[in-house]
Every structure is written in C-alpha cells, then in structure tokens.
C-alpha cells in the first residue's frame, strides 16, 4: 500500500510535470498546442544526445536545453502563431486556427526527428539506482523527476501569485481584453508565457528521458496525456495541474496493485470523465469563461 | 424554384448513378481510393452535421467508428449482413444518447478532451473485456463482402447523410439549432429544448459514423482495438471538417476530398519526407484559408456578385 | 534517397524499354519491380525501423551490387517502390492495391507486424502474390496458410512459442534448477494475449503454479506496481510477453527493486541491440523471445554485413535474420523459376528448400519446421537456447546471475 502510493505519487508527479507547460500555453497564451508532445520528445533526444555523446548528465543538460527551448518556442510563437492571434476575432476562431496550425507543426517536428533519428526506440540509463524511502525501494530517476516537478511547480505557483509579472500573466489568462485596459502588454505577456511553457515541457522531456523509452513518433501520447491533466485540473491553473496529475498517478498505481493492472488506463479515463461531469470546468477551473 | 429543385434532383441522381458505376470502370486501386474518399466524406459530413451548428468540437469519431467495426468483428459471421448493420447502428445510437445526455453541459475545450477521453475509455474497456472474458485480442473477420459492395454501401451512406443534412436544415430542428449556435441563452428563452435538439443531432451524426465503421471493417480481415479505435481517425476527420468549413453542409466534403487526395499524393511520391511536407502544407492552408475552403468560396461570391450587378447598369 | 534512386532506375528502365522497342521489351524482362508498404510513421515505426526496413534496403542494395536477380542466363536489377502505411490497416491495404494496380510491381514484400500482415493477406491472395510474412506471430497461421496458399508464416504460432518456453521450464525443473512458481504478465495487445492464452494451459498441464497472471494496457508508463507485487510473491520464473518499451521498463524496474528470479524472461525488444546498450553487464542471463544461432558462420557474416550497411547499427537477434532469410528465399525461388511467374514462384516456395542465414529452410504446409523461441543474453550477445534440438542451440544459464550496479 505505501509502495503503491509512493509509486503513484512519482507517476503523478511525472504527469503533472508534462502538463505544466501546456497549462501555461493553453491557459494564458490561448494556444491549443498539438505539437506539445513533439517538443517534449525533441528535448528527450537532446538529453540523450548530450548524455551519450558528451557524457553530460541530463540535469546539467537542463541548463542547456531550457534556454534553447525557451528561445525556440518564443520564435515559434512570434513567427507562426502571433499572426493567428492577431487575426482571430473570437476565442473560438483562435482555437480552430491553433489546432490546425500546431497540428501541422507537429508533423513538421516529427518529420525532422524521423529524418534525424529514424523511427527506432531510444533509451539510456541514468540514475537508475534504487533509493530507500519509508522502507520501500524506488527508482532514483523517477524520484528526481518528482522533486524537480514540485520545485518547478511550486516556484511557478509562487511567481504567478506573488509577483507583479505573475499577476499580469494571470490577468491575461482571465481576460485578455480587460488586461489591456490596465496597461498590460498582452501580446508580450502571451509570447513570454508560451515560451515559458515550452521551456517547461522541454525540461519534462529531459527528465523523463532518463526512465522512459521514446521514439520520434511517440510525441502524441504525451500531448494527449498533458491535455487530459490540464483539462481535469482546470485550464491555466498550476495547482490544478499538480493535483490532477497526482490524482491520476496515485489512482493508477492503486488500481494496478489492488485491482488489476489491465484496468489502470480505463480507471484513469473514467476518473477524468467523472471529474468533468461533476465539475464541468475542471477541479480548479472557474464555472464559465 | 420548383424547376431549380427538379434540376438539382436530376443532377444529383445523375451524379450518383455515375459514381455508382465506378466499381465497373476502375481498377482495384482507384476503387480503394474511392472508398477512402467516401469514407472521409461521410465521416466529416456527419461530424459537421453536429459540430457545425452547435460548435461543439468532438474527438469521439473513432469511438463510434470503432463500435461499428467491433460489432462486425463479433457478429459478422453469426448474423446476416443487414442485421449486423442494424445492430451496429442501434449500439452506436444508444451510446450516443448516453454520451450526449451526460456531456452536453460541458463547453469548449472541456468537451473536446472529454470526447477524446471517452473514446480512449471505450477502447480500454473493450481491451479489458477481450483479454479477461473472451481471451482473444484481435478478431478475424471473414465476411464475404466485396470491395465494390463496400463502395456502394458508403455511397449510399453519403447520399443519406447529405439528404439528412438537407432535411434537418429545413426542419424545425435545424431552425432551433441555428438559434442555439448563435446564442444558446436566447434559444432557451425562445422555448427551445436545447438538450433534446442537441442530443438528437448528436445521435444522428454518431449513428452514421458507427455505420461507416461497420461497413469498412470487412476490408481489413483483422480487427483489434488499436485498428478500430485509432485516434488518428478522430483527428483527421476533425481537421478535414474544419478545413472545409463546418458551418455549411457541403463544407466538410471540400476538406475531406482534397486532403485525402493530398495524403495519397504525398505518401506515394515522398515516402520519406511525407510528414514534413504535409506539415508545411497545413501551415500554408491555415494562413491562406482563414475560414476554410467554404470561406474562400463565399468570399469569391461576395466579391463577384456586385461586379455582376454593376455590369447591366 | 530511395525515391531518387527509384526515379533514376525508372527512367533508366523507360529509356531501355524505348530503345529496345515494344515487342522485345515485353518479351525480355529488363528489371524486376519490387514494392513494399512499411510503417514509417505512427506507433509501429519502432518495430519496423529495427527489424524490417534495414533488411529490405540492405538486401535490395546487395542484390543490385551483384548485378541483380538471375533470370535464366542474365541478371536483372531490382527496382524498389516504397510507401508508408502510417501504421494503419487501411493505408496498408490501399498501398498494396496501389503497388499492384498502379505500379504493376512484380513482387511485394510484406508490411511489419501481425495486424498489418493479416490486413493485406486477402489482396495478396486474390492477386496471387507470394506473401512471406516474417514479422507475424499468429495461432491462425496454419488456417491462414490453407485459406491463402500464397502465404507463408515464418515466425510461427504463439502456441509454438508458449510450448517451447514451457518445455524448457519443465526440463530445468527436472534438473532441479528451478522450482515451480511462475509469475506471468502480458501486454493487452494481440501479441501478449495470444501468447499468455497459449502459455496458461501449457503451464497448468505441466503442473506449474501460476502465482501471478495479469495483463497491462499499451502505453502504461510505470510498471513498478507490477514488479513490486510480483517480487512479493517470490516466484522462480518471471515471464513477460511485452513490447519493446515495457520490456526495457520491466527489466529496469526489476533491477531497481532487486527482483532477481531464477529465470527472467521478457518479450519483444529483449533481442534488440538497444537492450544491450541500455543494460550492458546486466543483460547476462536475461531470457527473451526469439534468438538465433549466433555461433554460426552465416549469422556472423550477416551481422557484419548489416553493421557495414547500416552505419554500425546491429539487427535484432530474432525477426531481423528471419526477415532477411525471407528475402533470400524469395530470391532463390524466383531464380529457380527463371522468370516473373508468380504462380510458379509460389509453387517453388511450397516445395523447395532454401539456403539462408538462419540455415536451411523448407516449408511444410507453408510453415517452416524450425523456430527459435527462447534466447538468452550470454557474455554480451543474445543466443538461441530453445528448442534445444535446433542446430546451434546453447545451454541455458540458470539461475540468472544477480543484477549488478550499472
């Protein structure tokens, strides 16, 4: 039981980690980013390359991957997405446009990775050693991912709620039109937040590459997982993201050891559906927008 | 007006009978392409039937498609073909009622991801059932249905879905839905039972999708959940309909046909760079066709009409 | 790259045909057109990219470097037409129809995986193309071979796989090397369920105690709960009918949890070179599905050629060699017939015997008579250990040595 909860927390931390970037990109920058998982996989390839090529630890690799991802995502937003944002008259129109555009972007990123790395599976071992915690044995790399997730999520939560810039970001998330009236540069804030989301998902990619097997085509799995967590927690809500991720992780681990590992994903989806039926805007979402 | 209607009906009948001749004229490859075109045309149009007027973006296409395919996998050899189709349609409709009633209070992205989760849940449950109860995963479908027959069934479905859409648009239901699409609160105040209207439309759309799955299943011999409940189907249909323009009955087909042909052309000529080229084309389309293919045509009309008017004067 | 060479070859063929004039062009075959549809994108890519694509490309190059396939007195080059099925049954079916009707290919190489091979089976049968399925494991193989006489199922049946494994376990128990508790997990997909369904009665019949018997869905991202539960039961034998990502995850998790049963057996992916890259010394004693006679000269030569042709990349130690052999078999059958006569080639496949990198192959009722079902990592390479009667079978190392720190 303790073991199942511990494993569940770590798995949940991973879910929250991969979803945090999306909750910013979708909640604040209003881009429903279907190429999200591809960015994650690209970062995983980056970490793998740094590790096998230059024996650079993935945690040191973060220092390299995060700024690169931030700048790349900023460029993507400025070049590809801001014309759509400027053109869109309603939020619905932007949603449709961003779905189509990022779907195309996902194809491009995947195609580039396929031509660079082929379709084969990649995996390497880093920090794959046992750690003893509360009398249970768990994997060090997964524990590290959970720690980084809590660290990143916690500091982002504080930054969003306690700082001026964070308040501006939240204002844009709630109502971009009204935010403009109080002298917030909505376009810049949105671009910054999108890039920040990209940097977050890249760090998630680096961390999970230490324990998950990935290939150039496995991005879509993470996109969908992230969307589920984001929606379940309430779009744009950091805390909701964390809680939803942990809830999914713990329920999955509990079902696996108490009921049947064959039902884990079914229970995950059922839990998600039930949450939405009870709270149509997610756990921490506002009732209507 | 009546004369126009008659001409239209005649043209449609002529077009349909011409299309029905394809299996006699084309080789297996062109027939297969025809099947693909019809499949996506029907799916995208059925998708637009519900999502166009209500503006709910659904990713549940594959759930209904898969239910249809699985019905054939389970019952295909036990029952006569028309009965199998009827059972599939009923299952799809029943599922749609259930889903419709429970989900339509969700809005925006919550509905989108809910429908995605639903499709995955159904797939997981089918897998679990097959693994633990029937101990087979992957069923073999040896139903004596020829490719030509699949084509004709799809053609009939296509005709039916367009006829349905046309009828709905002219019915009280269609009128009610247009009001809901404009403003749901106003619709409620007008005394429209929005839930019944939306669920009815959802059920119609879902039943058509289920039938497409059932009709297509014999083509693959082998059905397993990853084939029947392939999430890519949902995405492709969504993209096709959005690209064509879901707010018109004939919009989705304008996305489905060119995209199917594009996929085919690219995968035949650029097997290695297929994904990159496809992605670039997508981006170009989004920038150049902000309102879908329909929007392009409508804009042409708007700009060309005044010109024509000016000419005689 | 393939496209441009194909284009050039096409152009060449067209020029040759025009130069030779219509009548002679029809009479004399100037090239053999071979097509295939493979998963270049989508979830099947990982398997196809390791096992199938390298062998198809390598074989085509080798044949053309040698002057081509021998038809009668002269050699004719092969032209390749390749499409992507995007891991979808519908695309695979349509791709095959395009190859047959538009490209008018002379022969077709099969797609990757059980599902897609079954999906394209009916068309290949209807059009009379030889179908050498080298990456499909299905219990229906004998029945399908009867239904589609053009089809050959080189990887055999899941019952065969399960029974070979159980036979090995029985032998080891008789030698008092293992006890009789078995824990079994399977991925909830065609492969895993077929195998576990076949293994269950075989294990019960052999009086093994099945302490754990569960499945897990595709896409499960943490298998720690399973390993922890299994470890608590302390079985002698751990059997996982898994796919590559979970094969790696189960092995890693077992090492972390210190779960070290006497026999540790995992599914697809154990025989991949990636497994060795990831686990290094920890591979020692790990058993898995597949295997090959790694000591044979033919296999050593194949391995060297594969590495040279694929920029150092190694083939997996199971279906890769079988896939390459299927191509050798096809080539030999065509050469013996001496012309592009598909019916005659099918007949030759059914009756002839062929020299391949996996040894001599002769089909009986369209199925080979020998398979490798259990392999084991020994001293840094993966060797076949069961069935023990196979040429080149090594003795199994039991119990498995303890995991070491990486």
């Amino acid at each position: 039981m303790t073991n199942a909860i511990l494993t569940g927390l770590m798995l949940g931390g991973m879910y929250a980690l991969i979803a945090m970037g999306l909750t910013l990109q979708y909640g604040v920058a209003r881009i429903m980013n279907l190429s999200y998982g591809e960015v994650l996989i690209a970062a995983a390839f980056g970490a793998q390359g740094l590790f096998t090529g230059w024996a650079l630890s993935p945690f040191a690799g973060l220092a390299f991957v995060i700024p690169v991802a931030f700048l790349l995502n900023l460029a993507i937003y400025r070049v590809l997405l801001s014309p759509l944002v400027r053109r869109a008259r309603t939020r619905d129109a932007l949603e449709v446009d961003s779905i189509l555009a990022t779907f195309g972007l996902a194809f491009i990123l995947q195609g580039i990775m396929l031509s660079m790395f082929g379709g084969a599976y990649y995996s390497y071992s880093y920090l794959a050693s046992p750690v003893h915690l509360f009398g249970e044995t768990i994997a060090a790399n997964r524990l590290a991912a959970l720690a980084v997730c809590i660290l990143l999520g916690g500091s982002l939560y504080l930054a969003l709620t306690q700082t001026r810039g964070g308040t501006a970001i939240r204002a844009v998330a709630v109502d971009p039109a009204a935010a403009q009236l109080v002298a917030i540069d909505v376009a810049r804030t949105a671009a910054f937040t999108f890039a920040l989301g990209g940097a977050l998902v890249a760090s998630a990619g680096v961390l999970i590459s230490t324990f998950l097997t990935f290939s150039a085509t496995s991005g879509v799995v993470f996109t969908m997982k992230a969307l589920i967590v984001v929606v379940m927690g309430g779009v744009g809500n950091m805390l909701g993201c964390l809680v939803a991720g942990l809830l999914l992780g713990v329920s999955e681990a509990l079902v696996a050891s108490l009921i049947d590992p064959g039902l884990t994903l079914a229970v995950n989806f059922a839990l998600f559906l039930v949450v939405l039926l009870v709270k149509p805007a997610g756990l921490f979402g506002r009732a209507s927008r | 007006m009546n004369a126009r209607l008659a001409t239209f009906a005649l043209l449609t009948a002529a077009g349909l009978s011409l299309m029905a001749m394809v299996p006699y004229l084309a080789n297996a490859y062109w027939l297969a392409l025809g099947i693909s075109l019809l499949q996506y045309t029907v799916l995208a149009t059925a998708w637009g039937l519900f999502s166009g007027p209500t503006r709910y973006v659904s990713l549940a296409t594959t759930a209904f498609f898969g239910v249809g395919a699985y019905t054939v996998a389970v019952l295909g050899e036990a029952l006569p073909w028309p009965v199998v189709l009827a059972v599939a349609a009923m299952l799809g409709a029943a599922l749609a009622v259930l889903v419709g009633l429970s989900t339509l209070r969700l809005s925006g992205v919550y509905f989108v991801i809910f429908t995605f989760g639903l499709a995955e849940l159904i797939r997981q449950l089918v897998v679990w059932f097959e693994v633990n109860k029937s101990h087979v995963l992957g069923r073999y479908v040896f139903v004596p249905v020829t490719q030509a027959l699949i084509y004709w069934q799809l053609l009939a479905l296509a005709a039916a879905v367009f006829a349905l859409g046309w009828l709905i648009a002219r019915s009280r239901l269609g009128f009610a839905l247009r009001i809901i699409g404009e403003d749901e609160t106003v619709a409620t105040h007008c005394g429209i039972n929005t839930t019944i209207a939306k669920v009815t439309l959802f059920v119609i759309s879902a039943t058509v999708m289920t039938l497409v799955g059932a009709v297509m299943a014999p083509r693959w011999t082998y059905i397993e959940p990853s084939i029947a409940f392939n999430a890519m189907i949902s995405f492709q249909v969504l993209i096709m309909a959005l690209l064509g323009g879901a707010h018109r009955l004939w919009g989705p087909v304008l996305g489905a046909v060119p995209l199917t042909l594009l996929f085919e052309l690219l995968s035949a000529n650029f097997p290695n760079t297929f994904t990159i080229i496809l992605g670039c084309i997508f981006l170009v389309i989004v920038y150049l066709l902000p309102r879908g293919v329909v929007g392009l045509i409508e804009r042409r009309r708007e700009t060309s009409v005044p010109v024509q008017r000016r000419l005689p004067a | 790259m393939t496209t441009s060479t194909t284009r050039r070859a096409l152009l060449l063929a067209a020029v040759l045909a025009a130069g030779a004039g219509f009548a002679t062009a029809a009479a004399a075959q100037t090239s053999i057109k071979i097509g295939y549809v493979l998963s270049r994108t989508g979830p099947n890519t990982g398997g196809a990219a390791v096992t199938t694509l390298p062998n198809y490309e390598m074989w085509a190059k080798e044949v053309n470097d040698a002057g081509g396939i021998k038809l009668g007195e002269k050699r004719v080059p092969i032209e390749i037409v390749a499409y992507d099925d995007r891991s979808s049954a519908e695309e695979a079916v349509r791709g095959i129809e395009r190859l047959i009707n538009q490209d008018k290919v002379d022969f077709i190489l099969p797609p990757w995986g059980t599902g897609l091979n079954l999906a394209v089976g009916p068309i290949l049968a209807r059009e009379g193309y030889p179908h050498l399925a080298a990456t499909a494991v299905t219990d229906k193989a004998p029945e399908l071979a009867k239904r589609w006489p053009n089809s050959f199922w080189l990887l055999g049946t899941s019952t065969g796989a399960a029974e070979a494994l159980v036979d090995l376990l029985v032998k080891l128990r008789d030698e008092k090397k293992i006890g009789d508790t078995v824990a079994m997990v399977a991925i909830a997909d065609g492969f895993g369920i077929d195998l576990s369904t076949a293994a269950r009665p075989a294990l019960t019949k052999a009086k093994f105690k099945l302490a754990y018997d569960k499945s897990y869905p595709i896409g499960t991202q943490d298998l720690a709960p399973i390993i922890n539960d299994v470890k608590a039961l302390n079985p002698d034998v751990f059997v996982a009918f898994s796919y590559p990502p979970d094969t790696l995850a189960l092995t890693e998790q077992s090492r972390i949890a210190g779960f070290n049963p006497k026999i540790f057996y995992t599914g697809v992916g154990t025989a991949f070179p990636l497994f060795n890259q990831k686990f290094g010394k920890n591979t020692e004693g790990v058993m898995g599905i597949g295997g090959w006679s790694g000591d044979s000269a033919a296999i050593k030569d194949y391995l060297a050629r594969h590495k040279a042709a694929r920029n150092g990349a190694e083939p997996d130690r199971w279906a890769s060699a079988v896939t390459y052999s299927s191509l050798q078999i096809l080539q030999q059958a065509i050469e013996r017939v001496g012309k592009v006569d598909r019916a005659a080639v099918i007949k030759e496949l059914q009756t002839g015997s062929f020299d391949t990198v996996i040894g001599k192959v002769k089909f009986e009722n369209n199925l080979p008579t020998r398979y490798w079902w259990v392999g084991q990592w020994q001293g840094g390479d993966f060797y076949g250990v069961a069935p023990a009667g196979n040429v080149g079978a090594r003795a199994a190392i039991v119990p498995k040595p303890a995991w070491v720190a990486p």
Side-chain angles (χ1 to χ4, degrees), chain B residues 49 150 185 199 225 299:
Chain B
L49 218 52
I150 292 178
T185 328
V199 172
R299 205 169 57 202

Side-chain angles (χ1 to χ4, degrees), chain A residues 26 80 87 104 111 260 266 277 281, chain B residues 102 105 109-110 128 275 286-287:
Chain A
Y26 186 61
L80 290 177
R87 170 178 104 186
D260 181 351
L277 290 180
Chain B
S102 57
R105 52 186 289 233
V109 69
Y110 295 96
W128 189 83
T275 40
V286 178
Y287 294 114

Side-chain angles (χ1 to χ4, degrees), chain A residues 150-244:
Chain A
I150 291 173
L151 198 73
L152 283 178
S155 43
L156 261 172
Y157 181 75
L158 286 179
L160 285 177
T161 48
Q162 306 296 325
T163 68
R164 214 183 143 76
T167 313
I169 289 179
R170 283 188 299 135
V172 174
V174 174
D175 192 335
Q180 207 135 26
L181 296 179
V182 291
I184 293 172
D185 187 341
V186 174
R188 269 193 67 174
T189 312
F192 173 79
T193 320
F194 185 87
L196 189 63
L200 273 178
V201 67
S203 55
V206 169
L207 289 171
I208 68 173
S209 75
T210 59
F211 52 89
L212 279 189
T213 304
F214 56 94
S215 75
T217 52
S218 50
V220 61
V221 179
F222 296 101
T223 307
M224 293 328 293
K225 201 90 209 184
L227 274 174
I228 295 235
V229 175
V230 166
V231 166
M232 185 167 154
V235 173
N237 191 308
M238 217 26 118
L239 201 62
C241 185
L242 197 64
V243 172

Side-chain angles (χ1 to χ4, degrees), chain B residues 29 32 36 219-220 264 272, chain C residues 40 90 94 97-98 122:
Chain B
Y29 168 69
S36 222
R219 219 170 123 68
W220 310 317
E264 187 65 20
N272 294 316
Chain C
R40 311 291 285 272
E90 174 58 24
R94 214 168 61 244
E97 273 163 352
R98 172 186 271 273

Side-chain angles (χ1 to χ4, degrees), chain B residues 39-261:
Chain B
Q39 177 198 353
Y40 283 113
T41 299
V42 179
L43 285 176
T45 310
W47 188 91
L49 218 52
F50 167 72
S51 300
T54 59
R55 305 205 175 153
Y56 280 99
V57 173
S58 158
L59 278 176
T61 309
T62 193
F64 299 110
F65 184 89
V67 165
Y70 246 89
T71 314
V72 173
V74 176
L75 299 175
E77 280 166 280
L79 295 172
W81 185 241
V83 182
V84 176
L85 287 185
V87 173
M90 279 190 288
L91 283 175
L95 181 66
V97 171
L98 212 72
V99 175
L101 285 177
S102 57
T103 59
L104 292 176
R105 52 186 289 233
L106 299 172
S107 59
V109 69
Y110 295 96
F111 181 82
V112 183
I113 308 302
F114 185 96
T115 49
F116 172 81
L118 181 89
E120 287 293 305
L121 175 66
I122 293 175
R123 169 179 164 175
Q124 292 297 334
L125 291 179
V126 169
V127 168
W128 189 83
F129 181 84
E130 295 278 67
V131 167
N132 292 289
K133 302 297 165 207
S134 44
H135 296 294
V136 286
L137 199 73
R139 288 170 176 269
Y140 298 78
V141 189
F142 293 115
V143 184
V145 173
T146 61
Q147 303 300 315
L149 202 57
I150 292 178
Y151 176 88
W152 285 321
Q153 291 178 81
L154 286 173
L155 188 61
L157 266 177
V161 82
F162 277 106
L164 263 173
W166 191 78
L167 287 174
I168 290 172
R170 268 144 201 81
S171 68
R172 282 175 62 90
L173 177 64
F175 187 58
L177 285 163
R178 273 199 298 281
I179 300 175
I180 295 173
E182 293 297 326
D183 193 323
E184 194 160 340
T185 328
V186 172
T188 324
H189 286 295
C190 294
I192 295 169
N193 187 334
T194 55
T195 312
I196 289 190
K198 285 192 282 186
V199 172
T200 312
L201 203 60
F202 190 62
V203 169
I204 294 173
S205 152
T207 310
V208 174
M209 290 171 178
T210 315
L211 281 172
V212 175
V215 167
M216 287 298 287
R219 219 170 123 68
W220 310 317
T221 321
Y222 178 76
I223 304 283
E224 59 181 19
S226 59
I227 290 178
F229 295 96
N230 185 348
M232 275 314 281
I233 296 178
S234 296
F235 279 102
Q236 275 187 23
V237 166
L238 164 91
I239 298 283
M240 284 169 175
L242 289 183
L243 193 70
H247 58 288
R248 291 258 184 258
L249 175 62
W250 41 272
V253 66
L254 297 180
V257 172
L259 268 191
T260 311
L261 293 176

